[in-house]
Amino acid sequence: MIGLENDLMLLSNRPIRWALHRFRSGTLDERLFDRKGVMAVELDVDGQPLALLNMHTTAGGAFVHPESKRIDRIRADQIGQILDCAAQFGQPTLILGDLNAGTGVSQGNYDLLAAAGFVDVHAHCNGPAGEADVTWDPETPLNARGPHRPSPPQRIDHVFMRAADLA
């Protein structure tokens, strides 16, 4: 692998236990030049255990539209791997990071998390008013020069929590 050094990061002022799980599926260019996956972190917050799954799913690579059926299938495989990882934890678990999907953007991928019992925390707290919030804007300098610049502004970065853990 020629991969770029763009792994996931989590900063904490508490001791953590972590493991990085590379995704088994991805586009050829992302597999050669990128290192997408999920970082599984366990920590204690005031004596309570917490699991954080920091992820970055495929954006489609440089040559494929991020919302194509092929990319949605790859992303669904990656989300399945994230959910398998989440199933390993009995404590409250957050899935967070760049899903590259959201309401109205690769909706089927986004819906996989709800089907598995996870709630979009931003949507839960902000309701319909939060739908207009974006986390990816094609006007920012980095995106304006990137391969996905024709994509509309969208909310593709998320924090999900198990519905059972919301209380």
Side-chain angles (χ1 to χ4, degrees), residues 3-52:
L4 302 171
E5 294 299 327
N6 63 349
D7 286 330
L8 300 164
M9 180 186 324
L10 183 112
L11 303 174
S12 174
N13 64 353
R14 302 167 189 273
I16 64 171
R17 295 166 300 284
W18 66 276
L20 182 63
H21 306 280
R22 301 273 185 221
F23 290 136
R24 295 181 291 266
S25 59
T27 62
L28 179 60
D29 59 330
E30 284 185 337
R31 292 178 66 116
L32 286 174
F33 300 109
D34 205 346
R35 296 182 173 167
K36 294 195 183 306
V38 59
M39 178 184 186
V41 174
E42 292 181 272
L43 67 151
D44 291 320
V45 178
D46 299 327
Q48 299 296 315
L50 178 67
L52 304 173

Side-chain angles (χ1 to χ4, degrees), residues 28-101:
L28 179 60
D29 59 330
E30 284 185 337
R31 292 178 66 116
L32 286 174
F33 300 109
D34 205 346
R35 296 182 173 167
K36 294 195 183 306
V38 59
M39 178 184 186
V41 174
E42 292 181 272
L43 67 151
D44 291 320
V45 178
D46 299 327
Q48 299 296 315
L50 178 67
L52 304 173
L53 301 178
N54 184 10
M55 51 79 187
H56 188 182
T57 66
T58 187
F63 307 109
V64 185
H65 191 278
E67 294 179 63
S68 72
K69 289 182 182 183
R70 177 173 170 249
I71 297 307
D72 281 349
R73 280 192 307 273
I74 291 170
R75 195 178 298 112
D77 289 344
Q78 294 172 346
I79 292 168
Q81 191 175 339
I82 293 165
L83 292 171
D84 288 346
C85 191
Q88 305 295 313
F89 299 103
Q91 66 262 46
T93 301
L94 297 173
I95 296 173
L96 50 106
D98 189 346
L99 184 64
N100 279 307

Side-chain angles (χ1 to χ4, degrees), residues 107-122:
Q107 182 81 42
N109 291 148
Y110 175 82
D111 291 343
L112 291 171
L113 289 147
F118 283 85
V119 172
D120 179 334
V121 174
H122 182 77

Side-chain angles (χ1 to χ4, degrees), residues 144-165:
R145 292 187 298 269
H148 305 300
R149 63 187 168 274
S151 296
Q154 48 200 277
R155 189 168 67 86
I156 57 174
D157 303 290
H158 301 279
V159 175
F160 295 94
M161 183 175 217
R162 285 188 186 121
D165 296 333

